[in-house]
Amino acid sequence: MRMVVVIRGRAMALLLAPITIAGCQAATPSTLPPRTTATAPAPKPSPTRPHDVIVETYSAYWSVLAEAGRSSPEKARQLLQPYVRGGYLDHLVDGVRDMIKQGREPYGQAVPRIKEVRIASKYAEVTDCLDMSGAAMADRRTHKLIHETADAKTTTTVTAALERSDDGRWRLTGLSMKGATCESR
């Protein structure tokens, strides 16, 4: 399954737009609570069904993409390799180079709202109603929002192609943004 990557103007910025903003906490001394013999809840097992692994990979991709957009091209490639492969990986790294030249970086957070996952052997396709209401671009130097990059349209239909690699991991091989608004759940 081959997917043509369609990226135009604002769409490229949005592919690299999501950011998770973390707050800073002051380091203050604290006292640990007394030890108890209560059993901690068991950690949640990693998904094993292909559907669940694909959903996890696609969802994590958006956060990693944001971090990559704030990085150097070399670091972006390292961050994205576990999630993206082939020409699409090269395309995203080129996008980071372009953003650096433009003095921009991702701002805000795009939130995936997966509508459908189709799997055929080692290929998969995810259809998403991506919520972009909190995603835009920022000035790379000041990290402040560039207001004209914020779009009134809050959702867009996204189709992502994934392929299971020889190492068993699912990776994106292409993504297209249809530009049509959609209804997220």
Side-chain angles (χ1 to χ4, degrees):
M1 172 188 311
R2 301 260 322 155
M3 173 150 261
V4 176
V5 178
V6 178
I7 310 279
R8 291 189 191 104
R10 170 133 162 70
M12 180 60 202
L14 290 172
L15 282 177
L16 297 169
I19 288 183
T20 303
I21 299 173
C24 296
Q25 295 180 342
T28 57
S30 62
T31 306
L32 293 174
R35 288 185 185 219
T36 63
T37 57
T39 311
K44 185 178 174 185
S46 297
T48 56
R49 292 182 342 153
H51 175 276
D52 297 339
V53 174
I54 291 164
V55 166
E56 185 177 88
T57 298
Y58 175 80
S59 297
Y61 159 79
W62 289 102
S63 294
V64 172
L65 184 64
E67 186 177 349
R70 297 185 309 269
S71 302
S72 69
E74 297 76 23
K75 178 71 174 172
R77 182 174 296 281
Q78 288 176 344
L79 290 168
L80 290 166
Q81 278 180 330
Y83 301 93
V84 182
R85 64 179 281 176
Y88 188 50
L89 176 59
D90 295 336
H91 170 75
L92 292 175
V93 172
D94 288 344
V96 170
R97 281 189 189 96
D98 290 344
M99 282 195 315
I100 290 169
K101 287 177 189 173
Q102 296 169 9
R104 294 181 175 203
E105 67 182 9
Y107 180 91
Q109 180 66 47
V111 180
R113 305 269 193 248
I114 297 170
K115 296 290 206 175
E116 182 179 15
V117 176
R118 289 183 298 280
I119 305 168
S121 183
K122 68 178 201 167
Y123 301 99
E125 185 176 270
V126 173
T127 303
D128 183 17
C129 182
L130 189 65
D131 179 353
M132 300 181 310
S133 60
M137 298 301 291
D139 181 286
R140 197 170 191 94
R141 188 178 42 79
T142 66
H143 312 291
K144 293 190 180 188
L145 172 67
I146 301 171
H147 292 285
E148 61 272 14
T149 65
D151 196 341
K153 182 177 64 174
T154 59
T155 61
T156 191
T157 302
V158 172
T159 304
L162 292 92
E163 183 177 347
R164 191 173 52 239
S165 301
D166 293 338
D167 64 3
R169 288 188 69 133
W170 287 91
R171 290 182 172 87
L172 279 83
T173 58
L175 183 135
S176 67
M177 300 178 102
K178 306 262 192 260
T181 58
C182 50
E183 284 193 35
S184 61
R185 295 183 235 178

